[in-house]
Structure formats: structure tokens, C-alpha cells
Amino acid sequence: MEPAIVHLEKIISNYTRRLEALSEEAYTHKARPGKWSKKEILGHLVDSAQNNIRRFVVAQYEDTPVILYNQDKWVDLTSYQRYPTRDLLSLWILLNRHIVRILRTMPPGATHRKCFMGPSQPHTLEWVAADYCNHLLHHLHQILDLDPIAYP
């Protein structure tokens, strides 16, 4: 689990200032109707953090839980487009710091416990942590207009 913990800490450290530097106009601009703004993508990352926190905790005491969420509905129903940007960014930072703490205190044997994240096979918590970092990078690069990072 240590590589995922170190990776997540670096992501928080390396991307926070860049996210803070974006203007409100950049955050709220929608390239096309029906597509998420940068602020809504950040909100999606908040939702992802919350759902992954649940996975990291629940899979430690339940056998192969199913923890899914409808990302479009979560973004729509939480009205991230109207959410104060600085609050949303603070929430993203705090949730990710919280994930680091959860992962750091996870007993070594728990990293091999599994959960379902979708219709496919269950994944180990170690895999979920690494996938979470890849998912973050994919969307952070979208928000910051950096070179795309492929993500399933």
C-alpha cells in the first residue's frame, strides 16, 4: 500500500497550488452543454474520494462489499457548479488527506481484502488505492489542461 500512499501524497502536494491558481471563470466555463465544467470535475473527484473512503473502510469489516455510485447523478444533485470554489477545493484536499490517513493505518492483511466497484470482478483495496490515484491524475489533467492521461 505504501506506493499508493506516497503517490497520493505527491498528487495532493503537486496539484493543489495549480488548482488554487485557476480563476473562477476557468472553473465554471462549460465547453459544451451536457459536459462537466472544471468545477464539476473537481466535484466529481470529491464524490470519488467519499466513495473510496467508504470502500477502504467497509471492505475491512465486510466480505466483498458492493460500493457503487452514479457519478452523473451525484454531480448533478450536489450542484457543484454553484458550490463555492475555494470550499470545494478545501474539501478535495481534506478528503484526500483523510484517505492517506486511512491507508496508512490499514492493517497489512486488509490490503488484500476485496470490494466490488462495478459489474466486473472485485478488486483488492491495494488495487483500488492505485486505481484511485490514476483516476485523480486523469481528471486533474483535464481540469488543468495538461497532457491527457488515459484512464479506463
Side-chain angles (χ1 to χ4, degrees):
M1 190 63 82
E2 190 62 25
I5 294 168
V6 170
H7 194 193
L8 182 53
E9 288 176 323
K10 285 182 181 177
I11 290 169
I12 298 164
S13 173
N14 292 340
Y15 288 86
T16 295
R17 287 185 197 253
R18 294 176 187 186
L19 292 168
E20 290 171 339
L22 286 179
S23 69
E24 185 65 21
E25 182 181 338
Y27 267 112
T28 58
H29 174 74
K30 285 190 175 239
R32 299 191 311 264
K35 287 290 187 186
W36 290 344
S37 67
K38 294 176 188 307
K39 187 185 278 192
E40 289 169 319
I41 295 170
L42 183 60
H44 165 65
L45 293 179
V46 164
D47 297 340
S48 175
Q50 293 179 88
N51 279 276
N52 279 289
I53 288 167
R54 191 154 189 275
R55 290 176 181 129
F56 295 133
V57 173
V58 174
Q60 290 187 64
Y61 65 86
E62 285 186 13
D63 290 332
T64 322
V66 178
I67 301 174
L68 312 170
Y69 74 106
N70 182 321
Q71 61 187 19
D72 291 318
K73 291 224 180 279
W74 276 56
V75 168
D76 182 48
L77 293 171
T78 49
S79 302
Y80 286 125
Q81 190 68 355
R82 293 184 297 281
Y83 207 100
T85 303
R86 298 299 156 217
D87 291 351
L88 189 59
L89 184 54
S90 294
L91 182 57
W92 178 80
I93 294 164
L94 289 172
L95 286 169
N96 280 286
R97 288 179 181 162
H98 185 56
I99 289 173
V100 166
R101 286 179 180 88
I102 292 168
L103 298 178
R104 198 170 293 289
T105 60
M106 187 179 290
T111 64
H112 300 294
R113 293 188 58 88
K114 294 182 177 185
C115 71
F116 281 98
M117 298 171 47
S120 64
Q121 76 277 3
H123 297 287
T124 66
L125 292 180
E126 189 168 38
W127 184 93
V128 173
D131 180 71
Y132 178 70
C133 291
N134 293 333
H135 177 255
L136 271 178
L137 287 173
H138 169 74
H139 285 303
L140 290 170
H141 278 236
Q142 288 178 327
I143 292 169
L144 297 167
D145 295 321
L146 301 172
D147 289 337
I149 292 181
Y151 182 77

